[in-house]
Amino acid sequence: MMQMKPWKDVLSELEAGSAERESAPERPHDVVDRLRGTGFLALRVPRAHGGADASLRRVFEALIDVARADSNVAQALRAHFAYVEGLRFAPSGAFQAITDGSVIGNAITEPTGAAAGDFAGLSTVFTRTGDGWTITGTKFYSTGTLYADRVWVWGVTEQGVPASALIPLDRPGITVVDDWDGFGQRASGSGTTHFAGTPATTDEVVVAGSEPPPRLAIGAFLQLWLTAVVVGNLEAASNDAQTLLRGRRRGITHGTTELPRHDPVLLQQVGDIASKAYAARVIVLDAASLLDDVDARLHAGELDGTAAQEAGRRVAEAKISVERLALDAATALFEVGGASATRAGANLDRHWRNIRTLASHNSTRIKARVIGDHVINGSDLPDNTYF
């Protein structure tokens, strides 16, 4: 099993300067690199292959801690952990790259064309050559690829069959562009990746069969990852609210106490934010426990549709609930700090911006409508990685 550096040390390193990094032109390659020696990247790797074989609940506990310290780093590692989840079902169990410390990025979503979740409609083409393949296409939302060593790219063959490959980012024809311009999660490395006749070996390319396996379990994992990062942001906002109130020295003439830290209205506000953070963490970890049950059933060959649907539903409900708690709390933070909390130098607005950006990945209203149809009419949940 890989020896892990103490999490307390790593988290303090991540948290130091995270507010400044979020708006800096330089990207946090160094803090991503610090996680290589901690064992965090191999939490889900089986012990037989040098990892910790941690439960999903433990992974999401650690993820929330990382996201609280630096939510951009936490989001950047989403594709890495999703790839490892797939490896756990691969016969070969090719975990060497992970245990050696490689970071995996993604090149899946495209700026135009196929709807989210439609892998058969991708325009990136895998072309067969005499001794392998070439890959040509453009990807957007390549979260984490800016910090990665290898990229997980998806497309279709010339016959329209979904295909994927994990290839080193130093291959010819790959260009990673740091052009993500969203107002939140600015340092998540979610820009554009171009492939221009990029070579891939036969061993690296996986072509899907005519009957791809259900994707609901991995989809729920991917969606809960984003919600967990929201929780980390919420906990950071709660910590900042407490720091703000402890440090305030100027009250207001019609306030009830000389020092703001004793004002019952402000104390109530801080307590409310802290309570929302606690509730959000509990919601995510409960959903993670359901995913652990699904994972165990999958590996035992005993997964039924009911268990997968239940986990998918709870993950979607977690997003809806946590998003509302987090956005409300991130707004209330400014009521604790007053006008000085809005100063650009404090960068406290990053919590709301980051939460709003993460919550926008999938429509909450659409998820709520699907859940309503599921609980009232018994309709199945969508079997794709975007629900």
Side-chain angles (χ1 to χ4, degrees), residues 110 122-128 133-139 153-161 163 195-198:
E110 295 176 349
L122 295 172
S123 61
T124 297
V125 177
F126 282 62
T127 302
R128 203 73 165 89
W133 299 79
T134 60
I135 305 169
T136 298
T138 295
K139 300 291 186 177
V153 54
W154 281 77
V156 293
T157 66
E158 292 177 294
Q159 292 73 40
V161 179
F195 298 85
T198 301

Side-chain angles (χ1 to χ4, degrees), residues 318-329:
K319 171 190 163 55
I320 294 168
S321 301
V322 168
E323 174 184 317
R324 291 170 179 166
L325 291 170
L327 287 171
D328 182 65

Side-chain angles (χ1 to χ4, degrees), residues 13-223:
E13 291 175 16
L14 286 175
E15 188 174 5
S18 61
E20 293 76 16
R21 285 195 303 271
E22 194 264 352
S23 56
E26 301 81 15
R27 296 309 180 205
H29 294 274
D30 59 332
V31 292
V32 174
D33 287 340
R34 289 174 196 166
L35 285 170
R36 294 179 192 269
T38 66
F40 181 77
L41 298 174
L43 276 175
R44 285 289 283 167
V45 173
R47 285 189 178 87
H49 296 279
D53 201 20
S55 68
L56 286 170
R57 184 184 177 94
R58 175 68 187 101
V59 168
F60 279 96
E61 286 177 337
L63 170 62
I64 292 171
D65 291 342
V66 171
R68 183 179 63 248
D70 191 320
S71 66
N72 288 277
V73 172
Q75 187 192 0
L77 294 171
R78 180 173 176 242
H80 175 94
F81 277 84
Y83 183 77
V84 173
E85 284 302 297
L87 282 185
R88 288 171 62 86
F89 294 94
S92 60
F95 293 104
Q96 191 63 48
I98 308 300
T99 54
D100 284 347
S102 286
V103 175
I104 310 301
N106 94 91
I108 298 174
T109 304
E110 295 176 349
T112 59
D118 177 15
F119 294 107
L122 295 172
S123 61
T124 297
V125 177
F126 282 62
T127 302
R128 203 73 165 89
T129 63
D131 57 352
W133 299 79
T134 60
I135 305 169
T136 298
T138 295
K139 300 291 186 177
F140 194 46
Y141 299 127
S142 302
T143 305
T145 302
L146 191 67
Y147 311 115
D149 307 290
R150 301 167 187 259
V151 62
W152 189 20
V153 54
W154 281 77
V156 293
T157 66
E158 292 177 294
Q159 292 73 40
V161 179
S164 65
L166 182 72
I167 56 177
L169 273 162
D170 59 2
R171 285 280 171 85
I174 300 179
T175 304
V176 180
V177 185
D178 183 17
D179 59 352
W180 168 242
D181 61 354
F183 61 61
Q185 293 298 111
R186 292 172 174 173
S188 59
S190 300
T192 303
T193 304
H194 301 284
F195 298 85
T198 301
T201 66
T202 301
D203 291 341
E204 292 169 335
V205 175
V206 177
V207 179
S210 58
E211 295 293 335
R215 297 192 296 267
L216 188 56
I218 188 64
F221 171 87
L222 285 164
Q223 297 310 313

Side-chain angles (χ1 to χ4, degrees), residues 284-308:
V284 165
L285 295 184
D286 181 69
S289 293
L290 287 175
L291 291 184
D292 272 320
D293 179 61
V294 168
D295 181 69
R297 294 182 185 220
L298 273 171
H299 280 88
E302 299 171 353
L303 181 66
D304 57 36
T306 301

Side-chain angles (χ1 to χ4, degrees), residues 3-15:
Q3 293 298 314
M4 295 178 64
K5 186 177 181 179
W7 276 105
K8 184 177 180 180
D9 294 345
V10 176
L11 293 176
S12 62
E13 291 175 16
L14 286 175
E15 188 174 5

